[in-house]
Amino acid sequence: MKLELVPVPVADVDRAKAFYVDRLGCTEDVDVRPADGVRVVQVTPPGSACSIGFGTGVPAYEGTPGTVRGLHLVVADVEAARADLVARGVEVGEVVDVGGGVRYAGFADPDGNTLTLQEMAWRTGDAF
């Protein structure tokens, strides 16, 4: 089994798409309107095998915007990833070292769904 899509509820699909693609650097995989009132957008973070989906008219996207918490984006270097996002206009919190080689930096999308950059020192090379 592979987790390949995480639905994220948003209030404004265009605003969310702009954030995830332009600010976060995700690849736009899908933006379709297969029926009246239905829109499906799927984006994939750089290097990820799992995508983020949002849209309208689909039960998976009917949650309350801003209620997804702590989606982890694992990165090789949290300082570099944070600097890249800040340069793209994302408000990212300071890097926090929680010990054991794990460091985090958190941020939110325009709806308040939260994401976390996570660095785990032992996940480098083929282990990353």
Side-chain angles (χ1 to χ4, degrees):
M1 278 185 237
K2 296 187 298 182
L3 178 64
E4 293 196 3
L5 180 70
V6 175
V8 174
V10 300
D12 182 319
V13 175
D14 289 323
R15 180 180 70 178
K17 180 180 167 184
F19 174 81
Y20 283 96
V21 173
D22 300 336
R23 297 269 176 100
L24 201 55
C26 293
T27 299
E28 176 188 329
D29 301 315
V30 174
D31 186 348
V32 296
R33 292 180 169 101
D36 286 343
V38 176
R39 183 173 179 193
V40 175
V41 177
Q42 182 174 320
V43 299
T44 303
S48 181
C50 185
S51 300
I52 296 167
F54 46 88
T56 58
V58 176
Y61 303 140
E62 290 177 356
T64 303
T67 56
V68 171
R69 295 284 179 256
L71 290 182
H72 282 53
L73 300 173
V74 178
V75 297
D77 180 338
V78 71
E79 296 282 355
R82 181 186 181 279
D84 179 57
L85 292 182
V86 168
R88 292 171 170 267
V90 179
E91 293 182 27
V92 183
E94 295 300 318
V95 173
V96 177
D97 188 331
V98 297
V102 179
R103 301 188 318 152
Y104 294 107
F107 61 99
D109 73 8
D111 287 292
N113 297 299
T114 65
L115 299 98
T116 301
L117 298 174
Q118 179 188 43
E119 174 188 310
M120 295 180 284
W122 62 92
R123 289 183 87 180
T124 59
D126 290 339
F128 179 66

